[in-house]
Amino acid sequence: SMFKYDFEPFSVITIGSFSKFLSPGIRLGWIHCNNSEIISMFEDRPIYCSGGNLTSTITVKMIQYMMMTNILDQHIITVRQSYAQMSDLIYSSLRNAFPDDTEVYFRKPQGGYYLWLRAVHPKLTNLDECVKELKNNNVFVVKGSKCSIYGAGQNKFANCLRICFVRETDASVVQSGITLLITVLQRQIIK
């Protein structure tokens, strides 16, 4: 539970969304909190409590039905299996191509939606060219600098990539994309 980090009584708030595991377009979520002052901010405010104009009643009732009939639980199991399969595919492909951490550094994701790759080879200090080539071949990764609090204009994390493993469910498409990524990185190293 996140409340184990609650060093000051009632200071931890967690926020969740059905869009992460049910459907990206669903604008419905929840808040966990033990602070009565914060809870009172959401009481009697339909835009927060019922979705107001942001979420239709049909969507809310559909999710309620899915929760009450355990359809949602089964869906979550299926989604987690799919995410794990794609994560394992990307990780094992990268690990086969880069068996140690001397050229690129990454770890097996323990959850979440992304694998973070950091290039450590001297010829891979900036991955802009790699990202452009991948994009030209319809393989999309996010430059590390775009994930930085310093902004995309800075060189922080220019040697990093964020690789999403939850958007594509076809293993052959994922394998093609990761194979191209490996090829592009290896080509940069031997240039």
Side-chain angles (χ1 to χ4, degrees), residues 94-155:
L94 285 168
R95 187 52 68 207
N96 287 336
F98 304 105
D100 55 39
D101 293 327
T102 59
E103 295 170 333
V104 295
Y105 174 87
F106 54 93
R107 291 289 172 254
K108 184 172 177 52
Q110 299 301 306
Y113 306 103
Y114 307 102
L115 182 143
W116 184 259
L117 180 144
R118 181 169 42 99
V120 293
H121 191 279
K123 291 187 178 179
L124 296 174
T125 57
N126 188 319
L127 298 178
D128 285 351
E129 286 182 37
C130 294
V131 171
K132 285 178 191 172
E133 185 174 343
L134 292 168
K135 185 177 178 182
N136 289 339
N137 288 282
N138 294 316
V139 175
F140 300 96
V141 297
V142 176
K143 294 188 289 187
S145 58
K146 288 196 173 190
C147 303
S148 168
I149 61 169
Y150 301 104
Q154 302 292 321
N155 281 331

Side-chain angles (χ1 to χ4, degrees), residues 16-24 30 72 75-76 79 83 113:
S17 169
F18 289 99
S19 67
K20 295 293 185 194
F21 57 85
L22 189 56
S23 177
W30 62 89
L72 186 61
H75 176 74
I76 291 170
V79 167
Y83 291 177
Y113 306 103

Side-chain angles (χ1 to χ4, degrees), residues 53-118:
N53 293 326
L54 300 177
T55 303
S56 75
T57 305
I58 294 171
T59 301
V60 173
K61 290 295 186 184
M62 177 190 72
I63 292 173
Q64 180 185 23
Y65 175 80
M66 291 177 75
M67 291 170 73
M68 302 210 33
T69 60
N70 292 326
I71 293 171
L72 186 61
D73 292 337
Q74 291 304 312
H75 176 74
I76 291 170
I77 291 168
T78 302
V79 167
R80 283 184 172 169
Q81 289 170 343
S82 174
Y83 291 177
Q85 178 186 9
M86 295 305 148
S87 171
D88 291 346
L89 174 63
I90 291 171
Y91 174 80
S92 62
S93 296
L94 285 168
R95 187 52 68 207
N96 287 336
F98 304 105
D100 55 39
D101 293 327
T102 59
E103 295 170 333
V104 295
Y105 174 87
F106 54 93
R107 291 289 172 254
K108 184 172 177 52
Q110 299 301 306
Y113 306 103
Y114 307 102
L115 182 143
W116 184 259
L117 180 144
R118 181 169 42 99

Side-chain angles (χ1 to χ4, degrees), residues 27-43:
R27 298 180 63 136
L28 182 64
W30 62 89
I31 298 173
H32 287 149
C33 174
N34 283 330
N35 185 313
S36 59
E37 289 178 35
I38 293 173
I39 291 170
S40 69
M41 291 177 11
F42 294 96
E43 291 177 340

